Structure formats: structure tokens, C-alpha cells
Amino acid sequence: MDSLVKVHGGGGYDSDFSDDGQGESSESGLKKRKREEEILQKPFQKGRHSQKAHRSLHANEVDREEARNRRAHLISLNAFERHKKFVGDYILYYGGQMADFKRSGAKDKTDGDVLRENHRFLWRDEDEEDMTWEKELAKKYYDKLFKEYCIADLSRYKDNKFGFRWRTENEVVSGKGQFQCGNKRCEKVEGQKSWEVNFAYVEHGEKKNALVKLRLCPECSFKLNYHHKRKEVKAKTKRVSEENHEPPQKKKKRKRSSSHSKKNKHKRHRDCSASSSSSEEMRDSDKDSEAGDEPEGQSEADHWRGPAPAVEEKSREEEFDEYFEDMFL
């Protein structure tokens, strides 16, 4: 009996195919569970890791996070601070000194330096050839200056050395150089005199001359004429008289006509019994004398020779120039 119990598993019901049925049921249960998990798994859900992650995966994640933080830090910096950081990193990794990265300012130029190098007292047509941006800047500044009167520097008048420049807009508005003294360091208003000076100067290695006009007070005029007298510009006085109104040719005609009339009177007394031809000649001479005594203008015969001469009318600008001619001297 004991041997039968050992063989048949404790005396219960047993079959040779019982183990195979249990194995098939377990396998089918696993498959069914996997199928359910696949159905219930969401698209964004990550798979389950039954083992520990590899070291390279951890390193990649750390590098990615570090790069993200570094990019955010660089974006927060401005251009100059970013440049300083890159230079510091370069020196830290490759070596060197900060002085090697400093820019040399020996060749730096401002707009004032460009104007001083390319400025000209008078621009000619030859100077406007081969224009660069420096020359165009100097020419644009030159066009804004007022070139009627000059501003003078008389600080070295004892050495016979003077400096002249044109006036700016602010000086024209304030009256400097025209209603005030044209000396750079003088502001007197009374006793202004106008002077014309032949200004000889050296420009870009070339000697040039220019005739300039300036107005100075008596003290500054003495400094200008310290070595030799300059030409003073005075207002032209217009004398109106009857003799000046008549041109010299008309005066000569009057003298000739009076002499002819006297001769004709003598001939009349002498030749009373002259022929008709001589009387006609005398009449012609009398007509010529009367034509000479006529007032200025054309004779009656001249009116029928052709159209009347056109009288030129002055424009408004010419009238203003004549009006202000004495004022600006």
C-alpha cells in the first residue's frame, strides 16, 4: 500500500496528463495578461524597466541639462559681457594675457579729426574729383559756412601771422564778424571798419591766396595794420547834380552846336546876296544846330527808323542788393 501511495501521490486521483494541463493554463494566462496590458497601455506611457538604467544614459541626461542651463545663462548676458566671458574662457583653457586682447586706439579718428584733415578754405572744381567719404563730409561742412565776412585770429600780429576762417550760422545770427568786431577775442561794437586782406596760406603742401573781407574795431584794426597798411573798404557816396546827369558826349555836342550857330550868324551878315543854294545850306546847318540843342533823347526822325529801345527792368534781387550795398560795408 505504501508503495502505491508514493507512486500515486498520496492515494489521490492522479493522471499522466495532469502536469501538462497546468503548464498550458499558466502560459495562456501570461499571454492574456500581456495582451490586456498592451490594450490598457497609454501612448505617452513609458515601458517598465525591470533593470537599472545604464551609466551612459545617465551621463547623456546630465549633459543635456547642463547645456540647457548654459544656453539660458548666455542668452541673459549682453554682448559685451558675453564677449568677456568667452575671452576669459579662452585664456583659462589655452593660456595668455588679457593685454593681448586689448584693441589699439592709435588709429582711431573722430569726425573732428576727419574735418581737420580734409578741410579746405576754398573748394575748387579740381578738389571735387575723386571724392571719398572723408572729403564729402568736409565739403558738406564747408557748404554750411557763410563766406561774406571772416573771423580773424590776431594773437600773433607782431609776427605778421594771421588766421582766418568763415563764420558759422550761430555767429551770423549773433552778428559776430559784421556788427561786432571780427576778432575772435573781441566783442566791441562801436567804430567798425571794413578791410580787404590778401590772405596767403599753405594748404595740403600747396601755397594759395584768397581775397577776404572782415570788419574790425579801431584797436584790432591797428593790430591788422601793424606791419603795413591794408586796403580799407568805404561806402561809395553818390553825388547827384545836374552836370553829372548829362553824359559828356551831349556836352560836346552842345559846344559844337553853339560854335556852328555863331559862324552861321557871321555868314548871314556877310553874304546877304547869296544864291538860293547857299541859303539852303545855311538852313541845313541851322537845323543841325537846333538838333544839337534838343534835350536828351531821340529826335523826331529817329522815332520812325525802328522800334523803341527796350528798357531793362531791374529784378527785385538787384534792387535789394543796391539797397543793402551801403548797409553791409
Side-chain angles (χ1 to χ4, degrees):
M1 289 296 290
D2 296 335
S3 61
L4 289 172
V5 171
K6 290 179 182 178
V7 172
H8 296 289
Y13 180 77
D14 192 9
S15 175
D16 294 337
F17 301 99
S18 61
D19 294 337
D20 296 335
Q22 291 178 0
E24 290 178 359
S25 61
S26 63
E27 288 179 0
S28 62
L30 291 173
K31 290 180 180 179
K32 186 177 181 180
R33 190 183 301 168
K34 285 183 180 179
R35 196 176 298 118
E36 290 177 355
E37 287 180 356
E38 290 178 358
I39 293 172
L40 297 174
Q41 187 178 7
K42 298 177 181 179
F44 58 85
Q45 187 177 358
K46 296 182 180 179
R48 295 180 180 179
H49 297 285
S50 59
Q51 296 180 355
K52 187 178 179 180
H54 196 269
R55 186 182 299 174
S56 61
L57 180 64
H58 176 69
N60 292 335
E61 290 294 331
V62 172
D63 292 343
R64 193 174 300 168
E65 186 68 23
E66 182 67 21
R68 200 177 295 118
N69 295 336
R70 188 179 300 174
R71 190 180 302 109
H73 176 65
L74 290 176
I75 291 173
S76 63
L77 299 175
N78 56 30
F80 181 67
E81 291 179 353
R82 195 180 305 122
H83 170 73
K84 286 171 60 177
K85 183 182 182 306
F86 289 153
V87 170
D89 294 343
Y90 180 86
I91 293 174
L92 180 62
Y93 296 125
Y94 298 100
Q97 296 179 357
M98 203 68 181
D100 299 338
F101 293 90
K102 289 185 178 179
R103 189 178 61 84
S104 176
K107 296 182 179 180
D108 292 350
K109 293 181 181 179
T110 61
D111 293 344
D113 298 333
V114 174
L115 288 176
R116 292 187 191 95
E117 291 179 0
N118 298 275
H119 180 69
R120 284 172 171 79
F121 189 74
L122 291 174
W123 280 79
R124 300 175 297 181
D125 296 338
E126 303 172 358
D127 299 331
E128 296 184 8
E129 297 177 356
D130 300 332
M131 295 288 285
T132 59
W133 72 268
E134 293 92 347
K135 290 184 178 180
E136 289 178 358
L137 181 64
K139 182 66 170 59
K140 190 173 182 180
Y141 174 76
Y142 172 81
D143 293 337
K144 291 183 179 180
L145 299 176
F146 293 82
K147 305 165 190 69
E148 187 177 0
Y149 294 102
C150 280
I151 301 296
D153 185 4
L154 307 177
S155 58
R156 301 179 64 182
Y157 70 95
K158 291 185 178 180
D159 299 334
N160 199 19
K161 294 181 180 180
F162 305 98
F164 297 99
R165 65 171 176 83
W166 302 118
R167 296 187 301 165
T168 60
E169 183 178 1
N170 294 333
E171 291 172 341
V172 172
V173 172
S174 63
K176 179 67 176 176
Q178 183 176 0
F179 304 109
Q180 294 180 6
C181 181
N183 188 5
K184 186 172 68 173
R185 297 179 178 84
C186 182
E187 296 182 357
K188 293 184 179 179
V189 181
E190 299 178 355
Q192 301 292 322
K193 292 184 179 181
S194 300
W195 301 94
E196 282 187 356
V197 181
N198 185 13
F199 179 41
Y201 59 98
V202 179
E203 188 177 68
H204 299 287
E206 184 180 356
K207 292 183 178 180
K208 297 180 181 180
N209 286 19
L211 188 64
V212 297
K213 188 188 298 183
L214 67 157
R215 289 175 60 82
L216 300 173
C217 64
E219 295 180 1
C220 296
S221 299
F222 171 76
K223 293 179 181 180
L224 180 67
N225 301 310
Y226 185 78
H227 285 275
H228 55 273
K229 182 78 172 179
R230 262 75 178 186
K231 182 181 178 182
E232 183 178 359
V233 181
K234 295 182 179 179
K236 297 179 180 179
T237 57
K238 298 180 180 180
R239 298 179 180 177
V240 181
S241 60
E242 295 179 357
E243 297 179 358
N244 291 337
H245 279 294
E246 296 178 0
Q249 294 180 357
K250 297 292 182 179
K251 294 180 181 179
K252 291 181 180 180
K253 286 183 179 180
R254 285 191 176 185
K255 290 181 180 179
R256 290 177 182 176
S257 61
S258 60
S259 61
H260 281 297
S261 60
K262 289 180 181 179
K263 290 180 181 179
N264 291 332
K265 288 180 181 179
H266 288 295
K267 287 181 180 180
R268 284 177 183 175
H269 289 292
R270 290 178 184 176
D271 303 329
C272 294
S273 61
S275 62
S276 62
S277 62
S278 62
S279 63
E280 289 178 357
E281 291 178 357
M282 291 294 292
R283 289 176 183 175
D284 294 334
S285 62
D286 290 336
K287 289 180 180 179
D288 293 336
S289 62
E290 289 176 1
D293 292 337
E294 286 180 1
E296 295 179 8
Q298 295 181 344
S299 62
E300 294 181 357
D302 294 337
H303 287 295
W304 300 99
R305 290 180 181 177
V311 179
E312 296 181 358
E313 296 183 358
K314 295 183 179 180
S315 62
R316 180 170 291 184
E317 294 181 358
E318 294 176 354
E319 292 179 358
F320 279 130
D321 291 340
E322 291 182 358
Y323 179 75
F324 291 112
E325 183 177 0
D326 298 336
M327 184 181 297
F328 287 121
L329 287 174

